Amino acid sequence: MAIVAQSSKFSTYGRPILAWGVGLLFFFPIFWMVLTSFKTDADAVKPEHLLFFTPTLDNYLNMTENYDYWRFARNSVITAVSATVFTLFVGVPAAYAMAFNPSRATKDVLMWMLSTKMLPAAAVLYPMIFLAKGIGLYDTHILIITVLSLINLPIAIWMLFTYFKEIPKDIIEAGKMDGVNTWGEIKEILIPLAWGGIASTALLVFIFCWNEAYWTVRLTTIDAATLSKLIEGNRAPEGLFFGRLSAVSTAAVGPIVVLGWFCQKQLVQGLTFGAVK
Amino acid sequence: MSDRKLPRLLQTPAVLLLLVWMLIPLGMTLYFSFIRYVLNSLRRPEWTSPSLSNWRGFGNYEFVLKSKDFVLAIQNSLFIVCSILFLTVILGILIAVLINKSFPGQGIVRVLLISPFFVMPAVNAVLWINMILDPVLGLQGIAVAGTNDILDGLRQMPVLGGFFSLWPEFEPISFRATQTSAIAVIMMVTWQWTPFAVLIFMTSLQSEDQQQKEAAVLDGASTWSQFRFLTLPHLGRPIAIVVMIQAIFHLSLYAEIEIVSRGNGNKNLPYLIGEFANNNIGAASATGIFAVILANIVAIFLLRMVGKTLME
């Protein structure tokens, strides 16, 4: 009883008020961006229209005209979706092999894969440009898809590995008794059982691909340029275009933020490589 | 045991892809760092293509170590990374402890809090530097102008006016200048990554031993000593992980620097590499090798820690 009495005052009033305050404070910049996206460019910089203004959809309707938004969005969708699919295509069999048929080297292989993630991208910037231009792949979807897949492959394999480890080996062994071959095991047993884990891995990889802002900026000019490149190219609008810039930014991050809400838990696992439970 | 062979072979594509991805570019960086290699040179056209005959030994490394920008970039990288780590860990712990107990709307607050983490870095930087921090048109400028207007009004008051006329006019701060742009970068990245720290600390707090806590309360332990002697030690490992993961991410911070401080003195290591890479590939590669060494120092600790939990 003492526990309840001791902390009651703070728990009833202080905690909710403070917590809501912090939550709203952190969300405020996003709210502000969305709000500004409904203002005209002129209203967006006038103090008297800070909160009260006539909302307009023009910024969204003119995104194609102002920024050629859909071309960049199309590139983002193509590269992020293809990279996610390719990552899983390579990652699921690899994680399957490591989780169900581990060898003595498995642990080292996993650690080594993780260490590739720690190579600073900038260190290999020029060789990548050199190679890409050499093979004639600079500024193409294929190049961006390959790079996005490779930088996310270690995280994907790690996440899948931790999910697959939870599946009882007996179930897979039972499949073997019934004479199911390896592909059958993956297709008929593993994928249905680990569907949730695979889906959340896919979601997280997709988010990372969408937000990537080093390779997508440095390895593209126009044909394969993604939304990161579009926004980066409009870094200093000199205040003239706050309205339209907010609209295009909202369109670029909105879907991802909403997707992100659904995979908070997986995020912890994916980013800490299962080390925090 | 031949039925094990095929399953094991299934990891080969992943291993080969990553091996190629890591070894070829890194090998090239290492090679370029030991030769004279520039993109444009009218005087020495033979330097414009990579070749062993342009061998320079450790010359590029010496050149980089002696350049003023390199020292600045290292200082700046460390300043930015350390500040972000300090702020996100402190804020992360406070917020996680605050919202870990149930209260009305806990789920919504969690969603509000985590949102910044999913905003793409380019949008984060453009949003903050323009709409929030701009000294004239951003919220900062509007707030400063508004405060000055109010002060002006107060100065007109009959008696108290004399008191307010002692107050100075406020000056808005330009966050695009060399000295301040690092602060802007720290602010925006802290905003984006505090949610990450909160999320991890919260996950960890949920596995805290509740019985131990209740026992402590019955023994009359104060809230502070509960926090100090039970919660904080429990968070030790997550804190280490948050620090190391963020260190690796922020050492290669790029979009924010590029958008906020392009062209001024606020460079970090990745930005300096990009600048060298516009012409002097040898120097860019040598700087890249330094960046790899720096990242590896952090990575070794992280890998050790993760490795321990791997096969549990």
Side-chain angles (χ1 to χ4, degrees):
Chain A
M1 290 301 108
I3 304 166
V4 181
Q6 196 185 25
S7 58
S8 66
K9 231 179 199 165
F10 181 72
S11 297
T12 359
Y13 304 108
R15 190 185 297 277
I17 293 174
L18 212 57
W20 272 92
V22 170
L24 291 173
L25 192 69
F26 268 85
F27 194 73
F28 177 78
I30 297 174
F31 163 78
W32 193 248
M33 173 179 77
V34 176
L35 190 76
T36 310
S37 73
F38 293 109
K39 296 178 185 174
T40 63
D41 288 328
D43 280 357
V45 294
K46 285 185 190 144
E48 63 267 30
H49 291 301
L50 219 50
L51 286 173
F52 305 101
F53 59 93
T54 325
T56 168
L57 279 175
D58 285 355
N59 292 324
Y60 287 99
L61 299 176
N62 297 333
M63 276 195 312
T64 313
E65 228 173 275
N66 294 337
Y67 293 108
D68 207 355
Y69 171 82
W70 293 106
R71 208 167 53 81
F72 292 94
R74 196 175 139 258
N75 285 339
S76 272
V77 171
I78 291 176
T79 53
V81 169
S82 315
T84 308
V85 171
F86 185 68
T87 305
L88 289 184
F89 185 71
V90 179
V92 169
Y96 161 82
M98 292 185 204
F100 296 110
N101 298 287
S103 66
R104 243 175 271 153
T106 299
K107 186 179 167 178
D108 297 326
V109 173
L110 270 169
M111 296 304 287
W112 167 75
M113 283 183 169
L114 195 56
S115 73
T116 65
K117 188 74 198 140
M118 297 171 189
L119 180 69
V124 291
L125 168 67
Y126 185 72
M128 284 306 291
I129 296 178
F130 183 88
L131 287 173
K133 287 192 170 155
I135 327 171
L137 285 180
Y138 188 80
D139 196 18
T140 58
H141 288 145
I142 297 205
L143 175 71
I144 299 300
I145 292 166
T146 313
V147 170
L148 289 178
S149 306
L150 288 171
I151 57 179
N152 285 301
L153 191 56
I155 287 190
I157 292 180
W158 266 84
M159 275 185 79
L160 292 166
F161 175 78
T162 40
Y163 284 117
F164 290 174
K165 250 192 343 182
E166 307 291 310
I167 298 174
K169 274 195 178 171
D170 303 350
I171 297 182
I172 303 283
E173 293 296 324
K176 259 194 198 110
M177 297 290 176
D178 296 344
V180 182
N181 65 15
T182 308
W183 292 116
E185 267 175 47
I186 296 185
K187 229 171 58 187
E188 314 283 333
I189 305 171
L190 181 71
I191 292 183
L193 275 177
W195 182 241
I198 295 174
S200 34
T201 308
L203 206 57
L204 200 65
V205 170
F206 177 77
I207 292 176
F208 287 155
C209 290
W210 187 275
N211 287 350
E212 211 285 328
Y214 188 77
W215 294 117
T216 48
V217 169
R218 303 301 302 238
L219 292 182
T220 62
T221 45
I222 190 83
D223 289 340
T226 63
L227 287 168
S228 278
K229 179 100 175 176
L230 167 67
I231 305 288
E232 193 264 353
N234 289 284
R235 68 178 83 86
E238 309 302 340
L240 296 171
F241 304 122
F242 279 8
R244 58 176 79 170
L245 191 64
S246 295
V248 77
S249 302
T250 306
V253 303
I256 295 302
V257 171
V258 173
L259 272 184
W261 292 343
F262 294 106
C263 62
Q264 296 175 32
K265 282 241 174 66
Q266 290 72 24
L267 182 77
V268 175
Q269 221 193 4
L271 277 171
T272 62
F273 316 107
V276 171
K277 281 172 193 138
Chain B
M1 274 316 200
S2 66
D3 60 328
R4 291 256 154 146
K5 261 201 182 127
L6 174 65
R8 280 199 188 147
L9 278 178
L10 288 175
Q11 53 191 305
T12 344
V15 171
L16 282 181
L17 279 172
L18 286 172
L19 204 62
V20 170
W21 163 244
M22 195 152 122
L23 287 184
I24 292 181
L26 198 58
M28 286 170 75
T29 299
L30 203 60
Y31 170 46
F32 292 160
S33 75
F34 286 111
I35 58 172
R36 285 183 195 276
Y37 182 15
V38 293
L39 293 181
N40 295 298
S41 175
L42 290 175
R43 215 160 39 87
R44 306 295 297 266
E46 70 271 22
W47 288 354
T48 54
S49 58
S51 144
L52 269 177
S53 56
N54 296 332
W55 190 258
R56 201 188 177 188
F58 284 95
N60 286 320
Y61 292 88
E62 249 172 71
F63 170 80
V64 168
L65 279 175
K66 278 186 188 148
S67 83
K68 228 173 156 189
D69 275 354
F70 179 72
V71 182
L72 277 178
I74 295 266
Q75 276 176 356
N76 238 321
S77 286
L78 292 179
F79 171 64
I80 291 175
V81 172
C82 293
S83 311
I84 295 168
L85 288 178
F86 179 77
L87 290 170
T88 49
V89 168
I90 302 282
L91 286 172
I93 292 175
L94 290 178
I95 297 173
V97 170
L98 177 71
I99 67 171
N100 193 39
K101 296 238 173 67
S102 75
F103 58 88
Q106 189 190 21
I108 303 173
V109 168
R110 265 184 76 140
V111 164
L112 292 178
L113 254 175
I114 190 65
S115 302
F117 191 71
F118 299 109
V119 172
M120 63 169 71
V123 167
N124 176 6
V126 167
L127 169 69
W128 274 81
I129 199 65
N130 290 307
M131 275 172 275
I132 295 177
L133 293 178
D134 192 274
V136 182
L137 300 164
L139 285 175
Q140 190 220 166
I142 292 172
V144 170
T147 316
N148 283 337
D149 281 351
I150 294 171
L151 278 177
D152 274 342
L154 290 173
R155 289 197 188 96
Q156 309 301 323
M157 290 204 328
V159 184
L160 287 170
F163 169 69
F164 283 110
S165 60
L166 296 174
W167 286 35
E169 288 269 316
F170 288 99
E171 287 285 334
I173 304 163
S174 167
F175 281 97
R176 285 187 193 270
T178 300
Q179 299 85 352
T180 48
S181 53
I183 309 282
V185 171
I186 291 168
M187 266 196 267
M188 55 187 69
V189 179
T190 302
W191 173 69
Q192 177 142 51
W193 281 80
T194 299
F196 168 73
V198 172
L199 206 59
I200 290 192
F201 294 150
M202 267 184 73
T203 310
S204 164
L205 282 179
Q206 272 150 21
S207 66
E208 200 181 358
D209 190 346
Q210 287 307 317
Q211 285 184 336
Q212 205 182 23
K213 265 205 135 160
E214 278 165 30
V217 173
L218 289 178
D219 287 346
S222 69
T223 315
W224 167 249
S225 53
Q226 279 177 54
F227 174 76
R228 171 70 188 79
F229 296 106
L230 293 177
T231 307
L232 215 50
H234 181 76
L235 286 178
R237 193 185 154 76
I239 290 174
I241 286 171
V242 165
V243 164
M244 287 181 291
I245 289 175
Q246 285 203 76
I248 286 162
F249 269 83
H250 302 332
L251 278 174
S252 42
L253 205 64
Y254 180 77
E256 290 87 345
I257 304 271
E258 160 100 14
I259 288 167
V260 173
S261 54
R262 167 170 263 218
N264 77 19
N266 176 32
K267 291 162 191 156
N268 68 350
L269 225 38
Y271 192 87
L272 184 68
I273 294 172
E275 236 176 32
F276 276 140
N278 287 332
N279 193 30
N280 192 343
I281 302 304
S285 304
T287 316
I289 298 298
F290 282 120
V292 172
I293 294 170
L294 197 61
N296 266 297
I297 296 172
V298 184
I300 287 168
F301 286 103
L302 177 62
L303 287 175
R304 277 224 182 119
M305 194 147 220
V306 174
K308 269 185 205 154
T309 46
L310 180 58
M311 288 301 175
E312 277 168 13

